[in-house]
Each structure stands twice: as C-alpha cells, then as structure tokens.
Amino acid sequence: MKAANILITEPVALEQVVLKNLLIKFGYQSELASSADEAMHKVESTNFDLVLMSLQMPVNTVLHATDYIRKVLRSDVPIVATCAFITPEVIHKCEKVGINDVISKPVVPGILRCKINKLLYPMVISPSPWSAKVLLHLPTKRLTDLSAILQRTKANPQLMKHLIALYLKHSPVHISDMQMALSTEDWKLLHAAAHKMIPSFSILGLHKSFELMAREIQDYQGDAASRYKIANKVAVLEMLFAGIYQELENELRLLHSNPV
C-alpha cells in the first residue's frame, strides 16, 4: 500500500521538524509549507492525501486558504487544524470553511495518528444508534474505575501516573490501527490491535461488555456476514476511548498537582 502524502503547514521551523519526524514514524510521506498561501499553491499543484494546517498562523489566513481549497480548487482533501487554544468559536469557524478536525498543541503523537487514520481510512459504517445506547445506559456515569490500579500499585502515585501515561500513549495507536485495518481489510492488524487493548480493560475497571467486544474484534476472520457487526463494535470502542481519555487526563492532572 502506497504511503499517504501529507502536507504540513506550519510556520515554526522546530515544529515542522517534530511533525515531519512523527509522520515518518507513522509511515507517511510529507511536504512542508511555511504559510497558508504556500499551502494553497502546493494543494493546487500536488495531490495530497491530507493537510495539517497550523492555527499559529493568522487564523483568517488559514480560514481563507481552506475556503479557497474547498471552493476554488474544489478539493475535498481532509484538513486537520492544529491549535494551542481550542475554543467552541475556533471549532465553529473551522467547521464553517470545511476543516475536518482540530487537534490541540502540543500534539500528542497517538491522538494525531488516530485522527489522521480516521480521515485517511474512514470507517466502513458510522456508529449505529445501538452504539450510543451502549454508552448511555452504563450503570455509572464514569467509564473507568481506578480501584484496580490503586490495588496493583498499592496507591503509589508515581506508579499510577506511569500506568495511566502508558495507556494514554498507546491506546490511540490501537484505535487508529483498528480503523485502518477495517478499511484495508488487514485482519492480522485488526487482531493484533484488539489483542493489545484487552489487558487494559480490567486494569481500568471498564464494564465487562467492552472487553467482550474487543475479544469479538480480535477473533474476527473477515467474513462478510459479520463485518457490519464488527465495524459497529470498533465504533463503540472508539467512542468509549474518547471518554476514557478525558477521564484519565483529568486523573493524571490531579496526580501531578497533588504529589505525595
């Protein structure tokens, strides 16, 4: 499979290097643009698979460039904006001109990979209403129960921070691998990604039904009759992960602010 070619639009040289090295690590090719105007010209002359657009440049020039790409060039290339301070107003402006997603700076590698793969290898289906009901009808409002981590670490805050940080680092990669595996029909990758996620379910005290979903995904062999069902389960785990990530980031923030 040919490596995706991504345009990095970033005015800061150091961040250009960081993003370029990350994309190489993810297996993507990339080119650089230092301004929104340069990005417009490059999109006009080159067939990119995705564009990263920094909002560290004047926001209006980014919005104008995106509007030009969408309306004048009539390009539907996925565009992901990177922004140090994401607000509802910023998200609204980005959506209005056709930016597909916004990611916070400094960029978390796993989250960046997850968002890129979601756009490069879109889900076979969207989550069904059943997917949302699974999350809405859990017995508690919290998705995680950290009593297992407390027990394993004997409430040692340093060990707790280490375990949580490992989950936050690796889980986005597993989610993005499952997304890509479904779209490329790489069942070995799907099996491996689900298999790597399963141990974290009991450690985080997640509802048993989610572990069973991951095991079904792990055992999937590619038969057409079950594909819709499996794609829905991957969609549920993606939704689940978004909530877990937020909860664990809050826990990590508390641990850092209350050292023992």
Side-chain angles (χ1 to χ4, degrees):
M1 184 172 59
K2 183 182 176 183
N5 190 20
I6 296 175
L7 177 63
I8 301 168
T9 311
E10 170 60 59
V12 180
L14 180 60
E15 295 200 28
Q16 287 180 353
V17 173
V18 170
L19 286 171
K20 192 168 184 66
N21 285 334
L22 276 178
L23 295 182
I24 290 171
K25 185 178 178 181
F26 297 159
Y28 306 134
Q29 298 176 350
S30 64
E31 293 185 29
L32 296 171
S34 297
S35 68
D37 283 342
E38 187 180 355
M40 285 191 298
H41 295 307
K42 288 207 169 192
V43 171
E44 191 168 11
S45 61
T46 306
N47 187 25
F48 292 102
D49 297 291
L50 185 137
V51 176
L52 290 176
M53 191 82 75
S54 172
L55 293 182
Q56 198 158 336
M57 302 177 289
V59 174
N60 285 339
T61 65
V62 174
L63 298 178
H64 170 72
T66 304
D67 196 53
Y68 180 87
I69 289 168
R70 296 294 186 230
K71 293 181 179 177
V72 179
L73 301 183
R74 298 187 180 278
S75 171
D76 60 357
V77 60
I79 299 175
V80 177
T82 59
C83 180
F85 302 102
I86 299 177
T87 64
E89 182 183 8
V90 167
I91 292 173
H92 175 71
K93 286 181 177 179
C94 287
E95 289 177 343
K96 191 174 180 181
V97 296
I99 290 175
N100 300 84
D101 209 339
V102 183
I103 185 172
S104 61
K105 285 184 174 183
V107 168
V108 178
I111 294 293
L112 176 64
R113 184 181 178 186
C114 189
K115 286 183 177 289
I116 289 174
N117 278 357
K118 186 175 179 180
L119 290 166
L120 291 180
Y121 311 103
M123 277 287 198
V124 179
I125 58 167
S126 299
S128 69
W130 169 82
S131 306
K133 287 180 183 177
V134 171
L135 296 180
L136 290 173
H137 289 85
L138 290 175
T140 62
K141 290 184 179 181
R142 279 187 62 92
L143 293 168
T144 57
D145 176 1
L146 299 187
S147 57
I149 290 183
L150 286 168
Q151 187 176 357
R152 283 174 183 248
T153 62
K154 297 183 179 178
N156 182 310
Q158 296 304 319
L159 288 176
M160 288 179 68
K161 283 190 282 188
H162 179 66
L163 282 176
I164 292 173
L166 281 176
Y167 181 87
L168 294 177
K169 177 181 178 181
H170 293 293
S171 288
V173 177
H174 304 328
I175 293 289
S176 66
D177 281 347
M178 286 196 290
Q179 293 166 343
M180 181 166 61
L182 268 179
S183 293
T184 59
E185 300 186 356
D186 186 341
W187 310 130
K188 286 184 179 179
L189 177 61
L190 185 66
H191 171 91
H195 179 75
K196 289 173 184 175
M197 288 192 74
I198 288 170
S200 65
F201 285 71
S202 59
I203 293 173
L204 296 175
L206 299 179
H207 198 272
K208 187 69 177 176
S209 61
F210 296 120
E211 181 179 336
L212 295 176
M213 283 184 198
R215 292 191 181 280
E216 284 190 57
I217 294 167
Q218 174 188 251
D219 295 338
Y220 180 61
Q221 298 295 318
D223 58 292
S226 303
R227 187 165 182 182
Y228 181 92
K229 177 183 174 184
I230 293 299
N232 248 309
K233 292 183 184 299
V234 171
V236 171
L237 292 187
E238 182 188 353
M239 294 166 65
L240 175 73
F241 166 74
I244 292 173
Y245 200 94
Q246 185 174 3
E247 287 185 9
L248 292 184
E249 275 198 320
N250 290 337
E251 292 289 344
L252 200 57
R253 199 173 295 115
L254 287 172
L255 286 168
H256 280 300
S257 63
N258 297 295
V260 177

